[in-house]
Amino acid sequence: MATILLADDLAFIKMIQKEVLDKAGFTVIGDAVDGVDAVEKYKRLKPDVVLMDITMPKMDGLNSIKVIKQLDPNARIIVCSALGQQQLIIEAIRLGARDFVVKPFEPDRLIKAIQKALK
Amino acid sequence: MEVEFINPFIIGALEIFEKVASIELKKTDVKMLKGTRPSNEIGIAFGVFGYIIGQVVYSFKTHTAERVVSSMMPNSSVEKQKEYFESALGALANMITGRATILLAGKEQVIRITPPLIIMQSTTDTFQYINSPTISIIFTSRFGSLEINIALRQTK
């Protein structure tokens, strides 16, 4: 089953995401508290998919996507953020994100985004 | 401080409380303040930058915040609700602010926010509130009131 890395500074969001992913049969392989941590955990854990927040301390999610895509151009990253502004969605996709899920999310929307990224 | 900054936060608060915590809010008052310092014990503060800059501070009384978190995690134990108390409030305020920024930014502009900073009564004196014209929106719910203090201005 596919492995997922959760990157979000808010533990509550990661707890909700993990509940949704566990029910759908995915394996949450690790979690990161900021963009720097996400890069480190990506290198170490090699997840199939990263769920990436934008607003995080130290390094934001967009810069973290940039660094991870430099390390691994095939990285599958889905942004999951409350900041669903059109320009930020365009920027995330330009940097290589596969999808952009706006918080609060419906569980089905998140699962479908991951399934699509894995195809 | 421009009046058109108010409605997106009202819309965001009503929508997100309903969706995330099944709580119906009612807007009861809007007033002007000299700064963002909240009148309740628990505050959640965001810095705003980009097309619009400033600060937004959400606040609750402690018992209201506890009941809101309980409503966000209805199937969790009291211990788990305590464990996630601060991050649940941060997530709630983050989603309201995020919803408001979508409405404020439109198609062309970008508005970014800082991670939420949770201010408890013991830390309120160390936090740097903005002392500039602030619009304060008060909502009531079955669990008590929510105050949103907004001090924002357009950069160009």
Side-chain angles (χ1 to χ4, degrees), chain A residues 93-109:
Chain A
I93 301 298
R94 194 183 64 77
L95 290 171
R98 299 285 182 99
D99 205 340
F100 195 116
V101 177
V102 179
K103 297 176 197 166
F105 55 82
E106 295 295 334
D108 275 1
R109 173 73 181 89

Side-chain angles (χ1 to χ4, degrees), chain B:
Chain B
M1 179 72 201
E2 290 160 51
V3 174
E4 63 261 33
F5 296 156
I6 304 171
N7 263 343
F9 284 91
I10 295 172
I11 293 167
L14 297 178
E15 277 184 17
I16 299 298
F17 261 76
E18 180 67 46
K19 192 162 187 178
V20 174
S22 304
I23 295 173
E24 186 186 353
L25 288 182
K26 281 187 183 153
K27 176 173 67 73
T28 53
D29 199 9
V30 178
K31 58 190 175 186
M32 285 301 297
L33 301 175
K34 289 179 181 169
T36 57
R37 182 177 283 274
S39 52
N40 298 309
E41 300 117 24
I42 295 179
I44 307 118
F46 293 88
V48 178
F49 58 101
Y51 166 60
I52 289 167
I53 60 169
Q55 192 178 71
V56 180
V57 181
Y58 299 79
S59 72
F60 302 93
K61 292 199 182 308
T62 305
H63 69 89
T64 303
E66 286 168 353
R67 293 168 81 182
V68 168
V69 170
S70 168
S71 204
M72 291 170 73
M73 307 171 64
N75 301 318
S76 300
S77 64
V78 174
E79 289 73 28
K80 196 167 180 183
Q81 289 170 9
K82 280 184 183 166
E83 181 188 345
Y84 286 95
F85 180 72
E86 291 190 17
S87 74
L89 292 176
L92 183 74
N94 171 263
M95 287 185 272
I96 296 170
T97 312
R99 183 79 184 96
T101 65
I102 293 169
L103 297 168
L104 286 165
K107 290 183 178 174
E108 305 297 329
Q109 314 296 340
V110 174
I111 301 169
R112 301 288 299 271
I113 59 174
T114 62
L117 184 69
I118 311 296
I119 309 154
M120 310 301 269
Q121 210 166 17
S122 55
T123 56
T124 192
D125 288 337
T126 57
F127 181 72
Q128 192 100 30
Y129 295 104
I130 287 182
N131 289 315
S132 62
T134 298
I135 292 176
S136 181
I137 311 169
I138 313 293
F139 300 87
T140 56
S141 74
R142 67 184 193 274
F143 294 149
S145 63
L146 161 70
E147 177 189 76
I148 309 178
N149 292 346
I150 306 164
L152 297 174
R153 64 182 173 83
Q154 200 170 317
T155 50
K156 50 188 173 184

Side-chain angles (χ1 to χ4, degrees), chain A residues 70-89:
Chain A
Q70 281 167 359
L71 292 167
D72 177 5
N74 296 318
R76 301 181 187 99
I77 304 171
I78 295 166
V79 174
C80 186
S81 168
L83 298 182
Q85 300 161 38
Q86 188 164 310
Q87 289 299 321
L88 287 176
I89 295 173

Side-chain angles (χ1 to χ4, degrees), chain A residues 37-55:
Chain A
D37 194 23
V39 173
E40 288 306 313
K41 298 256 168 74
Y42 186 86
K43 282 195 274 193
R44 189 152 55 83
L45 302 171
K46 300 272 190 288
D48 294 312
V49 175
V50 182
L51 283 187
M52 182 78 79
D53 187 21
I54 291 183
T55 302

Side-chain angles (χ1 to χ4, degrees), chain A residues 11-69:
Chain A
F12 175 80
I13 296 293
K14 288 184 287 196
M15 184 262 294
I16 300 289
Q17 289 172 336
K18 187 173 184 314
E19 277 181 11
V20 169
L21 297 175
D22 285 349
K23 271 186 199 162
F26 294 108
T27 303
V28 175
I29 197 173
D31 70 275
V33 295
D34 58 52
V36 174
D37 194 23
V39 173
E40 288 306 313
K41 298 256 168 74
Y42 186 86
K43 282 195 274 193
R44 189 152 55 83
L45 302 171
K46 300 272 190 288
D48 294 312
V49 175
V50 182
L51 283 187
M52 182 78 79
D53 187 21
I54 291 183
T55 302
M56 292 189 286
K58 292 187 184 173
M59 180 192 284
D60 71 20
L62 295 177
N63 279 308
S64 188
I65 293 173
K66 210 182 289 179
V67 177
I68 291 173
K69 292 296 275 188

